[in-house]
Amino acid sequence: MAAGTKASELRELNSEDLVGKLREAKEELFNLRFQAATGQLENHGRLKAVRKDIARIYTLMRERELGIETVESA
């Protein structure tokens, strides 16, 4: 996943792809935490970006579950 994936990019994905992105992000977060624990992590800002990506994906999944449509400005 790119650093700071945009919500507009995620909205274009279908539900299965969104679940796949979530799985990838969680795996990346696990690896980053492991690196941080062993002292190998160089970019600590990446932890924050991945956590935000996960939250963004969960938010979009919940919006779809509730049937909420958001209008993005051009």
Side-chain angles (χ1 to χ4, degrees):
M1 261 179 123
T5 306
K6 294 190 176 195
S8 58
E9 296 171 7
L10 293 173
R11 287 186 203 284
E12 296 171 1
L13 301 175
N14 61 20
S15 295
E16 291 123 13
D17 292 338
L18 208 55
V19 171
K21 284 276 193 188
L22 179 62
R23 188 175 296 117
E24 290 173 15
K26 283 187 170 187
E27 185 176 334
E28 183 179 358
L29 182 61
F30 173 80
N31 291 331
L32 289 171
R33 284 181 176 162
F34 196 85
Q35 289 176 3
T38 59
Q40 297 175 350
L41 186 63
E42 295 177 8
N43 185 3
H44 293 279
R46 185 73 186 129
L47 277 168
K48 183 176 179 180
V50 173
R51 280 198 322 264
K52 284 191 174 198
D53 285 344
I54 291 171
R56 195 171 288 122
I57 292 170
Y58 274 132
T59 300
L60 290 173
M61 291 171 71
R62 182 66 177 154
E63 284 177 355
R64 289 180 183 180
E65 183 181 319
L66 295 174
I68 298 172
E69 294 290 328
T70 58
V71 178
E72 301 238 353
S73 59

